Structures are given as structure tokens and as C-alpha cells.
């Protein structure tokens, strides 16, 4: 991204939104500090992820108190604005951005990712024009999108809106970005931030060799969401084959299935970073997450994984382009 450096692995904060278990704020901030000190200094969040923006504000205060004000320059917080459809006037847009600035305790948002629910409502262009004005005024450092499809990303770029990234679902189960999105991003110098790369935690040893889980075992919103995606992609039996292939590769590299899943997407063209969700204070995979940086996959590894993927259904034909699942 021009003038923007980000960790290749970002800490995802959807998990504090309330659908992944109750979060203790004090414990959460303590674990945020641990992630930061380990080198994972970029946070992905949104205005509607419960207290996520407030956590960033509290974490910034603690980081400055314990590590000094200079430490604040080492962290980044990439938030999103996800408005309900309606008039996108200057006052509406400014009020939303001011809320995020206040909650996070910053004068400038590092990156603002804009999501829009309904392409039939053209007022997303009004919102982007106002957001770009705020970028010029210094209240937003970089302007980005979340879950936009290829056609609308192209239209926005053609209009001169300087979008630096688009956040999309991207995993070994969901390779839809490779159908159209990656080609456009490479041509127009837009980067991708990938989420869902671990399928909500399903791409892990604990599901290897296990019978298909019922709803009782899918105890978070992430597990429920991505199990539905697996059902569309090819079902539990094929998913077990994928886990088996990933496990062979992981053992070869003395890594975990999650490490291999993250590394595979991290190495894809146009991907600036992979978002790994953190259930702050509830469960912690920090040490394992860090090992993904050391994994180097070779041609044999990719061939083993691709042999399974060749049997999967075409999600682009079943769901559509990136983000279309939010607009069906």
C-alpha cells in the first residue's frame, strides 16, 4: 500500500463484538499489549464490533503509559464504517468519523474501510466523496473498502477515489478473489486484506478426523458462518481431505494447520495481510500465530493442497463475486 506499512498478520477484533463469548475488558487490554509486544501491531475492527473501538482507545492509553508515547507510532488500527442505507450528507459522514476518532482517542484514522449493503442505492458514492474530503483534510490517513465486488471497485477507482485496499473473505475454502478481484487489484495497485482465512477456527487440528460438528459444537458466530461456507464449498468429507493435506504439510514444516492456511493466502498476489481473529482474554493462540511467519511452502506443498481443492465446487458460480453473500 502506498505510504502504508502493515503487519502481514493483523489482529481481528470481530471476536469482541459479543457473538464469540463474553469479553473482560481488563483481560482484553492485557492481551492486546502482549500481541503488540510480540510484533503484531496492526488491529482490524469496525464501528459495529461492540466495544472494539473503545478497546483501541483504552489500549492506546495503557501503551503510552507503560511503553511511552513513542510506542503509539508503532501501532495501527484499521476500523470500518458500516452505515445503514440512507442519505450520506456531509454531516452524517462527519458524525460517523468523529465518533470513531473519539472512541479510539486519535486525531486521524490510520485506515477507514467503507462497507455498503445495497448497490442499488447509489448514495455510497456520496459517502465516498465525503470520506475522500476528510482524507484530504487529514482526519483519515488512508481510504479503503470492505466487501466490495470487482465491478464496483473498478467504478470507484475510475471515479478517482484513492482506495488503497479492499477487505474480502479469502481462504483455501473461498478462493473467489482469484476469479476477478486479484487481477484488478494488481493492475490498479490496490491491496487485499484477507479475512476468514482460518474459517473461524475450523482449519485446525482439533477438527481433523472428527465427525461433522452439530450446532452445539459450533459455539461462536465464526464457526457457524464458515461451516455454512464449507457446506457450499464441498461438504465435511472434502473438508477432512483438506485438513489431512494441510496436516501433512504442517508436519513437514514443524508448523500447525493454521500456520499453513495463513501462509498460503499470505503468499497470494495482491494480499497485503491476513486477518486472524483474537478472542482476547478467552483463548490465545499468539505463539502459534507467530509461527506462520517462519513457514515457507514449496511446489510439492502447493501441489498436495491443490489436489484437494480441484474437487471443490465453484463458489463464484454459486455465491457470486467477493462480498455478494452480503447482498443476496
Amino acid at each position: 500500500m502506498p505510504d502504508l506499512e502493515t503487519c502481514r498478520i493483523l489482529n481481528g477484533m470481530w471476536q469482541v463484538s459479543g457473538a464469540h463469548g463474553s469479553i473482560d475488558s481488563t483481560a482484553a487490554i492485557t492481551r492486546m499489549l502482549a500481541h503488540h509486544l510480540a510484533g503484531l501491531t496492526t488491529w482490524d475492527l469496525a464501528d459495529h464490533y461492540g466495544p472494539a473501538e473503545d478497546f483501541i482507545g483504552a489500549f492506546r492509553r495503557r501503551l503510552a503509559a507503560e511503553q511511552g508515547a513513542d510506542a503509539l507510532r508503532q501501532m495501527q488500527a484499521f476500523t470500518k464504517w458500516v452505515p445503514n442505507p440512507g442519505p450520506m450528507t456531509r454531516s452524517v459522514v462527519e458524525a460517523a468519523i468523529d465518533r470513531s476518532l473519539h472512541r479510539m482517542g486519535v486525531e486521524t484514522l490510520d485506515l477507514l474501510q467503507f462497507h455498503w449493503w445495497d448497490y442499488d442505492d447509489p448514495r455510497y458514492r456520496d459517502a465516498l466523496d465525503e470520506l475522500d474530503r476528510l482524507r484530504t483534510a487529514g482526519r483519515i490517513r488512508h481510504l479503503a473498502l470492505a466487501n466490495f465486488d470487482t465491478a464496483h471497485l473498478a467504478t470507484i477507482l475510475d471515479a478517482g477515489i484513492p482506495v488503497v485496499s479492499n477487505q474480502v473473505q479469502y481462504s483455501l475454502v473461498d478462493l473467489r478473489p482469484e476469479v476477478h478481484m486479484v487481477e484488478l487489484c494488481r493492475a490498479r495497485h490496490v491491496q487485499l486484506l484477507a479475512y476468514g482465512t482460518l474459517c473461524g477456527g475450523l482449519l485446525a487440528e482439533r477438527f481433523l478426523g472428527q465427525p461433522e460438528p452439530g450446532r452445539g459444537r459450533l459455539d461462536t458466530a465464526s464457526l457457524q458462518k464458515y461451516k455454512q461456507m464449507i457446506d457450499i464449498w464441498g461438504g465435511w468429507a472434502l473438508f477432512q481431505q483438506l485438513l489431512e493435506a494441510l496436516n501433512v504439510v504442517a508436519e513437514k514444516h514443524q508448523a500447525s494447520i493454521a500456520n499453513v492456511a495463513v501462509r498460503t493466502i499470505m503468499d497470494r498476489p495482491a494480499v497485503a495481510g491476513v486477518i486472524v481473529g483474537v478472542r482476547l482474554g478467552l483463548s490465545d493462540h499468539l505463539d502459534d500465530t507467530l509461527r506462520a511467519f517462519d513457514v515457507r511452502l514449496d511446489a510439492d506443498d502447493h501441489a498436495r493442497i491443490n489436489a484437494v481443492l480441484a474437487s471443490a465446487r465453484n463458489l463464484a458460480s454459486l455465491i457470486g463475486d467477493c462480498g455478494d453473500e452480503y447482498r443476496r
Side-chain angles (χ1 to χ4, degrees), residues 9 153 277 326:
I9 297 178
L153 172 58
Y326 294 103

Side-chain angles (χ1 to χ4, degrees), residues 23-306:
I23 300 290
D24 177 84
S25 60
T26 301
I29 303 306
T30 297
R31 293 314 302 164
M32 290 179 75
L33 183 62
H35 280 71
H36 179 90
L37 295 177
L40 300 181
T41 57
T42 303
W43 300 85
D44 177 79
L45 56 147
D47 61 337
H48 66 293
Y49 288 2
E53 290 187 337
D54 300 308
F55 280 8
I56 290 293
F59 172 60
R60 285 177 54 84
R61 292 189 291 272
R62 179 166 173 180
L63 183 63
E66 297 187 10
Q67 302 292 321
D70 287 346
L72 295 175
R73 290 197 291 268
Q74 301 168 8
M75 72 158 292
Q76 298 167 308
F78 297 170
T79 195
K80 303 178 193 73
W81 181 36
V82 185
N84 292 320
M88 294 290 108
T89 62
R90 178 164 296 184
S91 61
V92 167
V93 177
E94 287 190 347
I97 299 308
D98 284 346
R99 267 194 308 274
S100 291
L101 290 168
H102 176 73
R103 293 177 71 189
M104 296 165 68
V106 295
E107 296 181 356
T108 302
L109 299 178
D110 294 321
L111 184 78
L112 189 282
Q113 303 170 91
F114 176 68
H115 174 95
W116 190 253
W117 294 106
D118 183 8
Y119 293 140
D120 290 334
D121 184 340
R123 290 176 290 188
Y124 71 89
R125 281 293 313 278
D126 298 334
L128 283 167
D129 287 340
E130 290 300 327
L131 290 171
D132 191 35
R133 184 183 63 81
L134 293 175
R135 181 194 62 82
T136 302
R139 288 156 76 181
I140 299 171
R141 187 165 291 113
H142 295 284
L143 186 56
L145 301 173
N147 293 307
F148 270 74
D149 65 16
T150 307
H152 287 85
L153 172 58
T155 298
I156 290 165
L157 293 171
D158 289 343
I161 303 296
V163 169
V164 300
S165 67
N166 187 23
Q167 184 176 143
V168 295
Q169 186 169 291
Y170 198 175
S171 72
L172 289 171
V173 168
D174 187 358
L175 296 172
R176 286 178 297 155
E178 297 179 4
V179 178
H180 300 295
M181 180 67 68
V182 168
E183 181 180 0
L184 175 67
C185 288
R186 296 185 75 183
R188 303 295 292 271
H189 306 293
V190 175
Q191 300 293 312
L192 294 176
L193 297 178
Y195 71 88
T197 305
L198 296 179
C199 291
L202 287 162
L203 281 168
E205 282 80 3
R206 72 187 183 106
F207 288 100
L208 175 62
Q210 296 298 309
E212 185 168 4
R215 188 171 181 84
R217 195 174 179 197
L218 304 174
D219 57 357
T220 70
S222 293
L223 289 172
Q224 294 163 17
K225 172 181 178 177
Y226 292 107
K227 173 57 168 59
Q228 292 176 355
M229 189 64 61
I230 289 166
D231 292 342
I232 300 170
W233 168 81
W236 193 250
L238 184 61
F239 186 67
Q240 283 298 309
Q241 293 180 38
L242 178 58
L243 288 177
E244 290 167 3
L246 293 174
N247 192 52
V248 170
V249 174
E251 289 182 344
K252 169 182 168 181
H253 293 280
Q254 297 183 315
S256 68
I257 288 175
N259 295 157
V260 176
V262 166
R263 188 79 234 185
T264 305
I265 301 302
M266 191 190 302
D267 289 343
R268 292 300 214 257
V271 173
V274 171
I275 299 163
V276 175
V278 287
R279 298 180 69 191
L280 297 166
L282 289 179
S283 61
D284 201 319
H285 305 282
L286 175 57
D287 291 340
D288 182 68
T289 298
L290 292 170
R291 290 208 303 269
F293 289 115
D294 298 324
V295 175
R296 295 293 181 270
L297 303 177
D298 59 31
D300 289 341
D301 299 329
H302 289 294
R304 182 179 294 275
I305 295 167
N306 290 336

